Amino acid sequence: MVYTNLRQFLDALRKENQLVEISAPVDPNLELAEIHRRVIDEEGPALLFTNVKGGSFPVVTNLFGTSRRVDLAFGPKPEQFMKQIIGATNTLMPPTPKALWNERGLIMDLMKVGTKTVPASAAPVMQQCRKEAPLAGLPVLTCWQEDGGPFFTLPLVYTEHPDGGHHNLGMYRMQVYDDRTTGMHWQIHKGGGFHHYEAEQRNRALPVTVFLGGPPALIASAIAPVPEHLPELMLTSLILGQKLPVADNPHGGHRLVAEAEFAFCGSVPPHVRRPEGPFGDHYGYYSLTHDFPVFNVDHVWHRKDAIYPATIVGKPRQEDYYLGEFLQRLLSPAFPMAMPGVKELWTYAETGFHSLAAAVVRESYSREALGTAFRILGEGQLTLTKFLIVTDQAVPLDRFDRLLEAVLERFDPYRDLFIFNNTSHDTLDYTGGRLNHGSKALMLGVGEPVRELPGSYEGGVIPEIEDAAVYCRGCLLISGASYEKEPELAGRIAAASGDKLSAWPLVVLVDDASAAASDQTAFLWTVFTRFNPASDIYARTHVQGHHLAYDLPIVIDARMKPGYPDELIPREDIVKLVDQRWSSYFT
């Protein structure tokens, strides 16, 4: 079934026993988020809070917190449709009458993609309008105790290029400063930020409309890593399988998504910044306070019985994991068309997405994989990838242990590891020591195996190391003193114990080896969110034809380091409060 608005989806969740209503009074400051986190940890249902303190609207969270609910939200048709579209690029070249006739069903479906204008009477979002203190009474959540204030966590931010043309729909957190003003956390690689940059160059305010709710497809489209000029509203329509209804705003400005719950209408002025943050983010740490643009809200449209949608982010896995999984499946058929040579591509939600990506590529001639890797690192949001792993082996990329084993069996340290310093980082990644700055690493493993990988460690005591644990064949985790006590430990391991550990192509120094090796989520989050390639990868090296060649093992220092933001840990009194009240929430 196609869900054209949020409440249709909620009705479906009720029928599937995938929605629980909580009528007990709940505080939007920390308490609600703690309830949500416990439920999502247990792969529990979506939550509809009908009695949120200080708010005029119910709050729904955990809409997409399991693979099953994502399947309910979107079904198999969008993925099938995308595969049809990609397949048709071959059958319709050239577009002969026979080819067009054979693809007539697809062509008819494509004619449904787009927007359609409906009157205000057919746009539920326009049932009520607030101009005085437009943000007052909204149940905006504070999710973590060190957050700079309450944040909109599921906003769908719509902008258009200041000279007309393409639009962007993105999801950027918004800190609420007062009843009319919020922050706008536009990161360096996001389309809304590009539009704001262009407006500032012209010394103009950028009109902005922020939607809450609407069809599940609208939410998915806002976070989809589509190419910069691909219209997100067209992706919404494609997922829906029908045109997206929009209505003209009588106060001027952008057209409004008719089936949204809320629409905040205003502008972001040029050359105005305000401190924003901290915020407990999907990397599993706090992103710190920095100056960001400001959103001035002129008026708010909303349904008369509007429901406020929100999400809570933190250590993986959270809702973004399941949505990201769906979007990667949906968009993966397009990767080979956009990047010839790429067969499969995956970014890892467990690392915050940008910290780690992997690809299966074609290697039809020597070093073709290297050229394809450079192509990946130059494509859209993938330019912010911190660590890219590439192989020509047909391995399931979502099984990172199998991928890593395939690569380490084939990895030649003399020619297959590249580290690039002074590059851009994701705004939320603080391992580079400076906002938006850091380094990248590229590791290849193609062709026939060149070694057998050990599966257990039997090498005896490693000087200065207290614990060793195997994550997968060829990858050994070790732990000893903290970085603060022994900052040079990783370098000493690579230099002094390299021969002892040379059978292990990859050795990772972490704070707790056994915990990090326990499963894929723990490994990926612990390792790839805690190192900067240029400063935290160690090996014995020599220069070979202007290329820095490495000897095994490659040692990564993935310990927590001074200057890193705090890990997200719930406040003890909130944990105790929710413990005490737990039974009252679900009566």
Side-chain angles (χ1 to χ4, degrees):
M1 178 178 174
V2 175
Y3 304 111
T4 59
N5 57 47
L6 176 62
R7 50 213 51 224
Q8 286 180 357
F9 183 45
L10 295 183
D11 288 342
L13 293 181
R14 285 190 185 93
K15 291 176 183 177
E16 295 288 333
N17 294 318
Q18 287 288 304
L19 178 69
V20 168
E21 294 189 16
I22 296 177
S23 59
V26 173
D27 197 328
N29 180 34
L30 303 181
E31 182 184 9
L32 190 152
E34 175 64 14
I35 299 169
H36 168 104
R37 286 191 291 267
R38 297 189 187 194
V39 171
I40 201 168
D41 282 347
E42 299 297 326
E43 297 190 352
L47 301 172
L48 181 63
F49 298 88
T50 60
N51 189 2
V52 181
K53 296 179 181 178
S56 306
F57 303 94
V59 174
V60 65
T61 74
N62 202 21
L63 289 167
F64 308 106
T66 64
S67 296
R68 183 185 176 196
R69 284 204 293 284
V70 170
D71 289 342
L72 283 171
F74 307 111
K77 187 174 181 180
E79 291 180 58
Q80 296 167 357
F81 189 27
M82 181 65 79
K83 291 176 181 177
Q84 281 184 281
I85 293 173
I86 301 304
T89 61
N90 295 321
T91 60
L92 292 177
M93 294 298 174
T96 64
K98 181 180 180 181
L100 290 169
W101 178 253
N102 289 338
E103 296 291 351
R104 62 191 182 278
L106 173 64
I107 293 170
M108 292 297 293
D109 285 339
L110 285 172
M111 291 176 66
K112 301 174 185 176
V113 173
T115 60
K116 64 178 181 180
T117 302
V118 299
S121 60
V125 72
M126 298 177 66
Q127 289 173 341
Q128 294 187 2
C129 185
R130 306 167 61 178
K131 290 187 71 73
E132 296 296 326
L135 302 181
L138 292 177
V140 190
L141 306 184
T142 302
C143 302
W144 297 96
Q145 59 271 18
E146 293 181 30
D147 283 359
F151 283 80
F152 294 108
T153 57
L154 212 58
L156 314 176
V157 181
Y158 180 88
T159 58
E160 296 176 356
H161 192 282
D163 291 339
H166 63 274
H167 70 258
N168 178 261
L169 184 74
M171 188 176 294
Y172 321 109
R173 74 188 194 219
M174 295 163 48
Q175 181 176 346
V176 177
Y177 297 129
D178 54 45
D179 290 344
R180 191 176 287 278
T181 313
T182 79
M184 185 61 73
H185 194 266
W186 273 325
Q187 298 169 28
I188 59 173
H189 55 291
K190 298 297 180 68
F194 295 147
H195 288 169
H196 181 239
Y197 170 82
E198 294 293 341
E200 279 197 323
Q201 300 308 299
R202 296 156 177 77
N203 201 34
R204 287 157 51 183
L206 181 68
V208 175
T209 302
V210 177
F211 301 105
L212 294 181
L218 189 71
I219 299 172
S221 299
I223 65 172
V226 297
E228 183 181 341
H229 296 293
L230 179 64
E232 283 84 2
L233 293 188
M234 298 305 101
L235 179 60
T236 301
S237 175
L238 184 150
I239 297 173
L240 284 171
Q242 62 188 50
K243 292 186 182 295
L244 178 70
V246 296
D248 291 326
N249 185 346
H251 298 308
H254 302 139
R255 293 182 300 171
L256 306 179
V257 175
E259 292 287 352
E261 299 293 313
F262 295 86
F264 306 155
C265 306
S267 63
V268 175
H271 314 298
V272 176
R273 301 291 189 273
R274 183 168 174 174
E276 188 264 5
F279 179 72
D281 225 310
H282 66 274
Y283 271 62
Y285 311 92
Y286 287 98
S287 57
L288 304 180
T289 302
H290 302 284
D291 289 343
F292 275 89
V294 173
F295 177 41
N296 296 321
V297 183
D298 178 73
H299 59 280
V300 173
W301 293 97
H302 65 87
R303 292 171 178 259
K304 62 182 179 182
D305 57 348
I307 299 170
Y308 177 93
T311 189
I312 286 85
V313 292
K315 294 179 188 177
R317 300 179 176 179
Q318 302 293 334
E319 277 188 87
D320 59 342
Y321 174 89
Y322 300 98
L323 270 177
E325 191 178 52
F326 162 73
L327 289 167
Q328 292 193 82
R329 291 199 314 264
L330 176 68
L331 298 173
S332 62
F335 293 144
M337 186 172 66
M339 295 177 285
V342 175
K343 297 180 179 180
E344 301 285 344
L345 180 68
W346 195 259
T347 62
Y348 293 85
E350 298 97 331
T351 72
F353 293 105
H354 290 306
S355 291
L356 177 65
V360 176
V361 303
R362 184 180 63 208
E363 175 84 343
S364 59
Y365 59 86
S366 179
R367 309 307 278 167
E368 181 184 10
L370 178 61
T372 302
F374 288 146
R375 177 65 183 269
I376 294 169
L377 291 174
E379 185 69 32
Q381 294 186 33
L382 290 167
T383 59
L384 294 182
T385 300
K386 182 169 71 174
F387 202 101
L388 175 63
I389 299 177
V390 170
T391 186
D392 63 344
Q393 301 300 299
V395 292
L397 295 180
D398 58 341
R399 284 287 308 278
F400 188 77
D401 54 346
R402 291 179 60 182
L403 164 70
L404 190 57
E405 288 176 353
V407 170
L408 295 179
E409 283 177 334
R410 294 161 174 84
F411 168 66
D412 180 349
Y414 278 43
R415 65 173 193 168
D416 289 340
L417 179 63
F418 298 84
I419 298 174
F420 309 102
N421 203 358
N422 301 312
T423 66
S424 58
H425 258 193
D426 183 16
T427 301
L428 306 179
D429 188 334
Y430 285 86
T431 59
R434 180 183 171 197
L435 188 68
N436 297 327
H437 291 72
S439 61
K440 302 184 185 304
L442 166 60
M443 175 181 281
L444 295 92
V446 300
E448 296 300 318
V450 297
R451 67 179 61 84
E452 290 187 9
L453 301 175
S456 61
Y457 179 71
E458 299 173 358
V461 175
I462 305 170
E464 302 187 83
I465 294 304
E466 300 168 359
D467 187 23
V470 175
Y471 169 64
C472 66
R473 290 187 300 113
C475 179
L476 182 68
L477 298 175
I478 58 175
S479 53
S482 68
Y483 184 90
E484 287 188 329
K485 291 181 179 178
E486 294 291 346
E488 306 300 326
L489 178 56
R492 292 200 298 271
I493 295 295
S497 299
D499 291 336
K500 185 182 184 69
L501 296 171
S502 61
W504 296 86
L506 184 61
V507 176
V508 187
L509 178 60
V510 295
D511 292 305
D512 187 337
S514 295
S518 60
D519 58 35
Q520 175 168 305
T521 297
F523 176 81
L524 292 177
W525 180 70
T526 301
V527 173
F528 288 93
T529 65
R530 296 184 183 180
F531 79 92
N532 177 44
S535 55
D536 294 320
I537 293 180
Y538 296 85
R540 295 166 293 177
T541 63
H542 60 279
V543 176
Q544 188 179 63
H546 295 281
H547 172 65
L548 192 61
Y550 302 86
D551 292 324
L552 296 180
I554 306 300
V555 179
I556 295 176
D557 188 346
R559 294 174 294 173
M560 286 292 285
K561 301 174 182 70
Y564 284 10
D566 290 341
E567 181 181 331
L568 296 178
I569 300 173
R571 205 171 73 189
E572 287 187 10
D573 62 319
I574 298 299
V575 172
K576 292 178 180 178
L577 172 68
V578 173
D579 283 342
Q580 294 167 357
R581 298 198 61 201
W582 191 252
S583 60
S584 69
Y585 301 136
F586 300 100
T587 55

